[in-house]
Amino acid sequence: MEKLDACIRNHDKEIEKMCNFHHQGFVDAITELLKVRTDAEKLKVQVTDTNRRFQDAGKEVIVQTEDIIRCRIQQRNITTVIEKLQLCLPVLEMYSKLKEQMSAKRYYSALKTMEQLENVYFPRVSQYRFCQLMIENLPKLREDIKEISMSDLKDFLESIRKHSDKIGGTAMKQAQQQKLFSVILQKQNNVKFGKTIYINNRIPEERNEIVLKPVFEEEDENEEEVLTVQDLVDFSPVYRCLHIYSVLGDEETFENYYRKQRKKQARLVLQPQSNMHETVDGYRRYFTQIVGFFVVEDHILHVTQGLVTRAYTDELWNMALSKIIAVLRAHSSYCTDPDLVLELKNLIVIFADTLQGYGFPVNRLFDLLFEIRDQYNETLLKKWAGVFRDIFEEDNYSPIPIVNEEEYKTVISKFPFQDPDVEKQSFPKKLPMSQSVPHIYIQVKEFIYASLKFSESLHRSSTEVDDMLRKSTNLLLTRTLSSCLLNLIKKPHIGLTELVQIIINTTHLEQACKYLEDFITNITNISQETVHTTRLYGLSTFKDARHAAEGEIYTKLNQKIDEFVQLADYDWTMSEPDGRASGYLMDLINFLRSIFQVFTHLPGKVAQTACMSACQHLSTSLMQMLLDSELKQISMGAVQQFNLDVIQCELFASSEPVPGFQGDTLQLAFIDLRQLLDLFMVWDWSTYLADYGQPASKYLRVNPNTALTLLEKMKDTSKKNNIFAQFRKNDRDKQKLIETVVKQLRSLVNGMSQHT
């Protein structure tokens, strides 16, 4: 504590020293402060006054400063607004441009504008409400564009459906013109090199009427402008719609819709009208619509990428081709007019060539043409059957009279007739055939020309065309002409003279077949010596017709004989003969003489066969007359009269009505009658019964049954006419002899039956 007190006293002394040291300075400072106080008060008054004056003077400055600040703020705001407006104006301008594009229907550009707005402009002003409204409005605009473009596409599809006929017609017309131009160039080249080619699209120059005529007539012959599918159809709706859907990223939807609608249209186009087969216009309209459809598809394929593909068009074409072939096969079967079938063929060729030019395979169409060719030949055969019938109806079936050299040359120019004997004769003279022969020959050539028409443009070799012509000509000869000849021969009004002329005509037609073969060879330039060349069957055709005519001659001749025989009016109970032959028989013999004179123009065997057949039939008819079951009684006078008639028949046979018979060959036709009548005339029954069955028998041809039948009829007559003659010895003896012979003949007949 002491130390502490000592320390405190030390410190107090130090503090006192320090205060004593600084006290004067403090006193001086206080003194100075007192002096400054007065000055400070004066200064305060001055400062207060100065402050007041400054405040009064700064009020105006403050007001102006505030105005400046406010202007600065406004200026800054204006600058900000300008910057924002400069940012928004392009957006608004683009949106305004979008509206204008929509109004102008520039939808593809509008979509591009939308893309720019979304990708470039809207992000800059996305914080503004108007931008949000615009952004919300864009999807609606896109949907509107899709609907509008789809509506335009539908209008386009409807338009091309309506105009496909014109499009196809133009395309087919251009294809045909190009083909005709190629043919003209080919002709010029052939002339230049000295060649004559009739096949592969052309046939003889002199047959102008069968040259392929234009299927499509020009509406304006002076129109030289070549129209294309782009000239006929505005494809811009398709392009726009495709671009629009591509931009919208919905290209697949558009492609599917387009293909689906086009397939529907294809089915409508491929559906034919029910009466299409009645006129060529129906077929033409059908083909032009199909061509128009596929021309449009081909154009779409080449000018757009992906809308349609080659695989799609091939699939569509294969479907259409199957339908087309089915339709043509069905409708062409109703065609009975060869001209219509030919026009249909020309349309199919142009149709196929047109689509082939666009890259579509058409081999099946040419295969179909071969089916239609068979039908065409059938219609030709039917048509020519009528032509042949008319020729036969108009023919007079008499040799062609030739008055002078000019008429002779006219006939020779139509028909290749060659006969040195006829040529040596002086005018007037007659050609052996009738008028129908040159007419038939001309019509066969016309048929060949008509058949050749179908072979045009079928892209077949000369050999194939030659084979077609020969086969169709063979059908004409072997079926149509042969049938017409056979029907003609069977007609009731065709008499023996006409049949003779028909045989002569067929002979000349048969000889003309080689000229028809030469005619076909000249057309096709295919030699007949070629291994596979088909021959014409004229020989067999006309031979069959001749055989039929010969058979009909035999039949009609026999019928005529029957008509004369039916006129016979014998008095079978006469006691004495008239002393001369019956009138009907003399008329029959005169008729046969005149007929056999006509037969001199026939081949020798035919005339001889006809004459022999007539004599045999006459002999048989006379024998049947004697043996008729309805004839109950025959007197000896009737037998003698009948014998006179048979003698006339034998005299006729011996007069050689037809040359060429050897010896008594023709008289042998009456040998049965002769031996039978001789037996009854001489009453040589003992010889007959004794020699029966012997090869050297005098009455070898007399059948016991025949003799018995005739003898019984005479027996009944003797009983009826000699009721009182039984008292005369001679009559009684004769009656007994007849009864005895009858018994012997019956026993002979019964023995033959048992032996059999």
Side-chain angles (χ1 to χ4, degrees), residues 64 72 177 202 252 425 446 504 565 611 628 658 707 726:
Q64 292 178 356
R72 293 289 184 186
Q177 290 172 349
R202 290 297 95 190
E252 184 178 354
Q425 296 175 7
E446 290 294 328
I504 297 172
V565 171
C611 186
D628 189 3
V658 173
Q726 58 182 335

Side-chain angles (χ1 to χ4, degrees), residues 304-357:
T304 61
Q305 294 182 354
L307 181 55
V308 295
T309 62
R310 175 57 68 182
Y312 162 78
T313 55
D314 289 344
E315 178 187 357
L316 198 61
W317 168 244
N318 290 330
M319 180 272 292
L321 188 58
S322 299
K323 178 66 175 179
I324 292 168
I325 291 175
V327 168
L328 292 178
R329 186 178 285 127
H331 281 262
S332 62
S333 62
Y334 297 110
C335 295
T336 57
D337 182 7
D339 295 332
L340 179 58
V341 177
L342 183 62
E343 290 182 347
L344 172 60
K345 169 258 174 183
N346 291 334
L347 280 173
I348 294 176
V349 170
I350 297 298
F351 174 73
D353 289 343
T354 303
L355 289 175
Q356 190 175 34

Side-chain angles (χ1 to χ4, degrees), residues 195-243:
K195 297 180 180 179
T196 303
I197 299 177
Y198 298 143
I199 306 302
N200 295 330
N201 301 332
R202 290 297 95 190
I203 52 182
E205 287 293 335
E206 61 269 18
R207 298 294 298 176
N208 291 330
E209 66 271 19
I210 64 175
V211 174
L212 181 63
K213 60 183 180 180
V215 179
F216 297 91
E217 300 293 340
E218 289 285 352
E219 295 180 0
D220 185 0
E221 296 180 356
N222 297 325
E223 183 181 357
E224 297 180 356
E225 182 182 0
V226 179
L227 297 177
T228 62
V229 66
Q230 294 93 332
D231 299 325
L232 298 173
V233 179
D234 179 17
F235 287 93
S236 57
V238 180
Y239 306 150
R240 286 197 303 268
C241 199
L242 177 61
H243 292 160

Side-chain angles (χ1 to χ4, degrees), residues 258-446:
Y258 177 84
R259 295 180 184 182
K260 181 179 179 181
Q261 293 302 314
R262 289 297 279 167
K263 284 184 178 180
K264 288 182 179 179
Q265 289 188 345
R267 294 187 182 94
L268 292 176
V269 167
L270 295 170
Q271 190 66 31
Q273 296 181 352
S274 59
N275 61 343
M276 183 179 73
H277 61 276
E278 296 178 358
T279 62
V280 69
D281 290 335
Y283 288 108
R284 182 182 292 112
R285 190 177 305 108
Y286 182 68
F287 286 127
T288 53
Q289 288 178 349
I290 295 174
V291 170
F293 178 89
F294 283 99
V295 166
V296 170
E297 288 304 289
D298 182 76
H299 180 77
I300 294 294
L301 173 66
H302 287 89
V303 300
T304 61
Q305 294 182 354
L307 181 55
V308 295
T309 62
R310 175 57 68 182
Y312 162 78
T313 55
D314 289 344
E315 178 187 357
L316 198 61
W317 168 244
N318 290 330
M319 180 272 292
L321 188 58
S322 299
K323 178 66 175 179
I324 292 168
I325 291 175
V327 168
L328 292 178
R329 186 178 285 127
H331 281 262
S332 62
S333 62
Y334 297 110
C335 295
T336 57
D337 182 7
D339 295 332
L340 179 58
V341 177
L342 183 62
E343 290 182 347
L344 172 60
K345 169 258 174 183
N346 291 334
L347 280 173
I348 294 176
V349 170
I350 297 298
F351 174 73
D353 289 343
T354 303
L355 289 175
Q356 190 175 34
Y358 284 92
F360 295 100
V362 294
N363 291 334
R364 292 173 61 189
L365 285 175
F366 284 101
D367 294 338
L368 173 66
L369 283 174
F370 280 92
E371 298 180 23
I372 298 178
R373 180 201 63 190
D374 296 335
Q375 181 185 347
Y376 175 71
N377 286 336
E378 289 297 325
T379 58
L380 283 182
L381 292 175
K382 291 180 182 179
K383 179 180 179 180
W384 256 259
V387 172
F388 290 150
R389 284 194 296 268
D390 294 340
I391 291 175
F392 290 140
E393 288 293 333
E394 296 171 0
D395 194 10
N396 56 8
Y397 297 99
S398 59
I400 301 175
I402 303 296
V403 177
N404 51 42
E405 183 73 20
E406 184 178 353
E407 289 186 3
Y408 182 75
K409 289 182 179 179
T410 301
V411 175
I412 296 302
S413 65
K414 297 178 180 178
F415 181 77
F417 174 77
Q418 294 179 354
D419 190 336
D421 295 334
V422 175
E423 291 178 0
K424 293 177 182 178
Q425 296 175 7
S426 59
F427 296 101
K429 56 186 176 183
K430 292 184 178 181
L431 301 183
M433 68 275 191
S434 66
Q435 290 287 353
S436 63
V437 173
H439 291 162
I440 291 292
Y441 183 79
I442 291 172
Q443 286 303 320
V444 172
K445 291 175 68 175
E446 290 294 328

Side-chain angles (χ1 to χ4, degrees), residues 19 58 78 119 276 333 346 377 406 417 425 472 590 635 656 689 691 724 726 741 750:
C19 287
I78 289 173
N119 298 329
M276 183 179 73
S333 62
N346 291 334
N377 286 336
E406 184 178 353
F417 174 77
Q425 296 175 7
S472 59
N590 292 332
S635 66
E656 198 175 6
L689 294 173
D691 296 343
F724 301 101
Q726 58 182 335
V741 173
N750 292 333

Side-chain angles (χ1 to χ4, degrees), residues 27 53 61 87 105 175 239 241 298 357 410 413 502 581 617 665 750:
V27 173
R53 289 198 306 268
V61 174
L87 192 62
K105 299 183 178 180
Y239 306 150
C241 199
D298 182 76
T410 301
S413 65
I502 289 173
H617 186 73
T665 303
N750 292 333

